[in-house]
Amino acid sequence: MEQGRQSITIDEELAGQRVDRALSEALGEFSRAEIQRLIASGEVRIDGHGVRPATRLSAGDVVTLPLSAGGISDDGLVAAPGLELDVIHADEALLVINKAPGRVVHPAAGHADDTLVNALVARYPELASTFDGPRPGIVHRLDRDTSGVIVVARTEAAAEFLISAFADRLVEKVYLALARGRVTPPAGVIDAPIARDPKRRQRMAAVPDGRPSRTTYRVIDTSGEVSWLELRPESGRTHQIRVHLKAIGHPVLGDPTYGRASRRIGRTALHAWRITFDHPLTGERVTFTAPLPDDMRIALAGLGLSGEPEGGMLTA
């Protein structure tokens, strides 16, 4: 890596997007104008070659740009040992973390030292030396308000393996969510293409010319006022579950972007509950589960709804 530059490996959520939009999403909306200027000046490169704003990205592409972009300084990553870090599993190839709600995954504009990555490099400093840029080992993402299970690679080989697995849809993810209203039918598939909202570019929307997107769901319990759902995204679009639930008229409870605030919970009531994938070293199919955080348990109890679902994964 050239001195003064950072690299970003494109994951499934960014694949297929224009490079200017993808980098603004990865590094924070405040940096989009700077990214467009960097593209025009030739400072943004894929495999050493310059790009145009409309260049489409593929999973596994390595994009490089100056360290100063997106609010990341030449000083590198800040280790933050005081931040909470709930490690579900650790081995020589990967880490599995239960991300707290409200925690940004990686440094971006306005979040230089309070992210999951800052906590990771404090406990596992080798991540900063193994990977370049502000996203060491990050192979997929969760929204700031979304709690739950996230996988982090500890080696470049593991990162490459996992990024490919996500891109090829070989990773099964199950989420739990509270959604407004009584969702009917009690089980089904939401099949609605997703793209940038043409009216509000900072968010996504279900639009006819978007990228194909499917989410399987099952109603675990309902109070009438709110439904408790188990969901499996079959594709990996940005904000997919939140957009799909809005599209069927049942936005996630407490979602300020696609719904509205709730007195029941102070954030978007979405939890990444379970993830299953082939281990990059052994090839064994492994599953990890993140228990519900206290705020969701309190919300469930207040609504008289059951807790974590019993049994196995959803089937399509």
Side-chain angles (χ1 to χ4, degrees), residues 84-288:
E84 173 190 0
L85 187 64
D86 183 0
V87 180
I88 297 171
H89 171 83
D91 61 42
E92 60 185 295
L94 57 85
L95 304 164
V96 183
I97 308 297
N98 181 13
K99 186 183 85 69
R103 180 75 65 215
V104 175
V105 170
H106 57 78
H111 295 281
D113 59 5
D114 61 352
T115 73
L116 176 65
V117 162
N118 299 116
L120 283 167
V121 297
R123 187 174 301 186
Y124 304 98
E126 70 277 7
L127 287 173
S129 57
T130 300
F131 299 95
D132 293 308
R135 303 172 62 179
I138 301 300
V139 295
H140 69 123
R141 293 173 298 147
L142 295 177
D143 295 336
R144 175 178 179 170
D145 273 359
T146 302
S147 55
V149 65
I150 185 168
V151 181
V152 179
R154 299 185 77 174
T155 68
E156 291 183 348
E160 182 177 349
F161 179 94
L162 291 167
I163 288 170
S164 294
F166 276 102
D168 294 338
R169 300 183 185 178
L170 300 177
V171 179
E172 298 177 75
K173 296 177 286 184
V174 179
Y175 289 76
L176 301 176
L178 289 164
R180 291 189 178 276
R182 183 185 295 273
V183 176
T184 56
V189 176
I190 307 168
D191 191 341
I194 292 175
R196 285 280 172 187
D197 189 326
K199 296 180 179 178
R200 294 178 59 183
R201 302 300 298 177
Q202 292 79 18
R203 70 180 190 180
M204 311 302 286
V207 293
D209 60 348
R211 301 174 68 196
S213 308
R214 284 168 51 95
T215 301
T216 301
Y217 75 87
R218 176 175 70 88
V219 177
I220 302 167
D221 199 1
T222 182
S223 68
E225 172 193 350
V226 172
S227 294
W228 180 222
L229 305 176
E230 181 179 349
L231 306 108
R232 184 179 69 191
E234 296 181 8
S235 43
R237 311 307 177 207
T238 301
H239 299 174
Q240 178 170 320
I241 289 173
R242 298 163 65 192
V243 172
H244 273 173
L245 288 178
K246 173 182 172 59
I248 65 169
H250 299 283
V252 179
L253 195 69
D255 188 338
T257 301
Y258 300 103
R260 63 182 188 274
S262 171
R263 63 184 176 84
R264 297 286 186 182
I265 191 168
R267 52 111 175 178
T268 303
L270 182 62
H271 179 69
W273 178 52
R274 180 177 289 180
I275 192 165
T276 300
F277 56 93
D278 293 340
H279 193 282
L281 287 184
T282 66
E284 177 187 1
R285 197 73 174 160
V286 292
T287 296
F288 300 98

